Amino acid sequence: KERKAKVSSGINAEWPLRPGGEPGENPWYIVPQLPPDDFDEIWDELVAFFDEYADELLPDDIGADGEQGIEGIEGEAGDVGENGSDGEVGDNGIPGVPGLPGTNGSKGEPGAVGETGDTGETGDTGADGNVGEAGDVGDVGDNGEEGDEGAEGDEGEAGAEGDEGEGGECGCEKRPQPCNSCDVHVVTRHSQTTEIPECPEGFKSLWSGYSLVMLEGNGYSLAQELGSAGSCLEEFQTVPMMQCSGGQVCNHGVRTDKAFYLANEQNPDFTIKPESNLDDLIGYVSRCNVCGGSSKILARHSFTSEVPECPEGFHEIWEGYSYLMVTSSGASGGGQTLASAGSCLEEFYVPTFVECLGRGTCGFYINNIDYWLAQNPDMTQPGMWGMGNVYSGLDDILEQGVARCTVCARNTLDL
C-alpha cells in the first residue's frame, strides 16, 4: 500500500531505507524530458488531427476527468517585454531642510587702476596762513632820481670891491645858463587794447611791449608799478620767470607760478576754458609803450565822477580811472603808487587783468579782484558817504562808483 500510494500520487518518492543499506530506486518514476524543438508544430498537428477525427476516434461516452498529471518542468525565461507607457507625474515632495551656510569665498584680486579724472574746479580761497618770521634785511635800494633844481635864492649882499683884474683875452663867448629841466623822465603808457599806444607830446618811445601787472611764485607776489618801465615786457611769455634752488637746478613753468597781464577785454566770458594757443593768448593782453622825456609826471585823483585839473605849471597828457591794487587767490596781490601814472588807467575794465599759469594757459577767473578808488562827493564827511552801496552795471559804476583821475606833465621852462 505504501508503494502504490507514492506512485499514484505522482511524487518522486524513494523506497524506504533498508536497515544498513542505500535507498532503493523507483522503477515507475519517469524522468521528465524537455520537449523537442518542433513541439509546438507537432502539437498543432495533433490538435488539428483530433479535431478532424474526433467523432470516429473518441467514443460517445467520455469518462470522467483523470487525475492531475505530473507537474512539468519550469520553462525558460521569456523574451524581455516592451517598455510600458510613462507613468503620470507624481505630486511635489515635501520641501527639504535648508542647507548649512556656505563658507566665505577667497579674497578677490585687486581691480585695475581707474582712469585719471578730469581736472577739478578751482577750489575756494583757503584760510590765511600764520604770520611768517621776519625776513632778512633787504639790499640797499638804488639811488633815487635827481630832484628838480631848487628855486632861485634871494639876491645876496654886495661884496667888497675886488682888486682890478688882469686884462682878458679878446673874443670869449658868454657861458650858457644851466638847464632847469634837462633830467630824463620815463613814463609807461598802457592802451588796454591790442594796439601800441602813442607817447605823450614831448616824449620819445624807448620800446614797446606787453603790459605786466604782477608775478606770483610759490605763494608770494611781486606787483609792477604800471607807470614804470618794468611793467612793459618786450617779449610775451605766459610765465616769464623760472624757479631756481640749490644744486644749480632751475625750473621754468612751475605749476604754482603765475603772471598777471592787463587785459583788453571789457566783458570777458568766464565760461570759456583757459586758452593755450600762443596766438590766442596774445589777443587777450594789453600793449604798452615806454616813453622818455624831460617833463616830470604825476597823477591827480578827484574822488568824484569829474576829471580833476592839473596843478599850476603842469598840463594834461591823459585822463582815466583811479586804479589802486589787484589781488588773487590767498594773500597774493599788489598795488600802485597813487602819484604814479600807473594809478590812472584810461579804460575801466572788470576784471582788469588776465591770469596766466605755469602750465602755459591764460584765462579769466572769478576769484581775481580789482580795487579802485571810490567817489566821495560829500567832502564834509570823509569816508562815510556811500558805505554799503552796491553799484550794479557799468553805467552805475562809472557814474556813481569809480573815481576819476588825470596824468599831468610839468611844463618845460623857457630858457
Side-chain angles (χ1 to χ4, degrees):
K1 293 180 179 180
E2 182 180 357
R3 291 175 181 172
K4 186 177 180 180
K6 291 184 178 180
V7 173
S8 62
S9 64
I11 300 173
N12 186 13
E14 296 183 354
W15 294 92
L17 295 176
R18 299 185 185 95
E22 297 294 329
E25 183 176 352
N26 185 358
W28 289 277
Y29 176 71
I30 300 174
V31 178
Q33 299 291 328
L34 293 174
D37 296 335
D38 55 351
F39 175 79
D40 292 337
E41 183 179 354
I42 296 172
W43 176 263
D44 292 338
E45 291 179 359
L46 287 174
V47 172
F49 176 79
F50 281 108
D51 286 342
E52 183 179 356
Y53 298 100
D55 294 339
E56 298 177 5
L57 296 177
L58 296 177
D60 294 335
D61 52 345
I62 298 174
D65 293 338
E67 296 180 358
Q68 183 177 354
I70 301 172
E71 181 181 1
I73 63 174
E74 183 178 357
E76 296 180 355
D79 296 334
V80 178
E82 297 180 357
N83 293 332
S85 59
D86 295 336
E88 296 181 357
V89 179
D91 298 333
N92 294 332
I94 301 173
V97 180
L100 297 175
T103 58
N104 294 331
S106 57
K107 184 177 181 181
E109 298 181 357
V113 178
E115 297 180 356
T116 303
D118 296 334
T119 303
E121 298 180 356
T122 303
D124 297 332
T125 302
D128 295 340
N130 298 327
V131 179
E133 298 179 357
D136 298 333
V137 178
D139 298 332
V140 178
D142 298 334
N143 293 331
E145 297 180 358
E146 184 176 350
D148 296 333
E149 185 174 344
E152 186 176 353
D154 298 333
E155 184 177 355
E157 298 178 359
E161 185 176 354
D163 298 334
E164 184 178 353
E166 297 179 357
E169 296 181 0
C170 181
C172 293
E173 295 181 1
K174 183 179 179 181
R175 179 181 298 176
Q177 293 182 352
C179 178
N180 293 326
S181 57
C182 291
D183 295 334
V184 176
H185 297 275
V186 176
V187 64
T188 300
R189 190 175 189 180
H190 304 275
S191 67
Q192 295 174 270
T193 68
T194 56
E195 301 295 329
I196 298 174
E198 296 182 357
C199 288
E201 184 178 357
F203 284 77
K204 180 181 179 181
S205 176
L206 303 180
W207 70 80
S208 61
Y210 301 88
S211 304
L212 178 66
V213 178
M214 184 176 67
L215 297 171
E216 180 181 323
N218 200 26
Y220 296 92
S221 59
L222 176 64
Q224 297 297 313
E225 170 58 60
L226 293 177
S228 67
S231 65
C232 190
L233 300 185
E234 296 184 69
E235 297 291 338
F236 175 78
Q237 296 185 62
T238 53
V239 177
M241 60 183 179
M242 63 181 181
Q243 185 182 111
C244 298
S245 59
Q248 298 183 351
V249 176
C250 295
N251 296 315
H252 186 198
V254 179
R255 183 179 60 84
T256 56
D257 291 345
K258 301 177 183 178
F260 302 83
Y261 291 90
L262 274 184
N264 55 33
E265 180 65 38
Q266 184 173 10
N267 296 305
D269 187 354
F270 289 93
T271 63
I272 297 178
K273 294 180 65 176
E275 296 283 357
S276 58
N277 183 280
L278 185 60
D279 294 334
D280 294 334
L281 295 179
I282 292 179
Y284 289 102
V285 178
S286 167
R287 300 303 302 271
C288 55
N289 202 344
V290 178
C291 308
S294 60
S295 297
K296 185 174 179 62
I297 302 294
L298 59 81
R300 188 176 188 184
H301 306 274
S302 68
F303 292 93
T304 68
S305 60
E306 301 295 330
V307 177
E309 296 182 356
C310 290
E312 185 179 356
F314 287 78
H315 63 278
E316 178 184 312
I317 56 176
W318 74 73
E319 62 184 47
Y321 301 88
S322 302
Y323 188 54
L324 181 60
M325 65 179 180
V326 55
T327 64
S328 181
S329 58
S332 176
Q336 305 297 315
T337 301
L338 293 179
S340 166
S343 66
C344 189
L345 296 182
E346 297 180 65
E347 301 291 342
F348 179 84
Y349 291 160
V350 177
T352 311
F353 58 91
V354 60
E355 178 179 333
C356 297
L357 306 179
R359 63 183 179 221
T361 61
C362 297
F364 296 96
Y365 298 93
I366 200 68
N367 62 335
N368 291 336
I369 301 175
D370 297 300
Y371 286 84
W372 303 77
L373 288 184
Q375 298 180 22
N376 185 20
D378 188 358
M379 302 306 291
T380 61
Q381 294 182 348
M384 295 301 294
W385 184 90
M387 293 185 64
N389 286 354
V390 177
Y391 307 107
S392 179
L394 186 60
D395 293 338
D396 285 348
I397 295 174
L398 297 181
E399 294 176 3
Q400 305 178 41
V402 63
R404 300 301 303 272
C405 56
T406 303
V407 177
C408 307
R410 185 178 180 183
N411 298 331
T412 303
L413 299 179
D414 295 331
L415 298 179

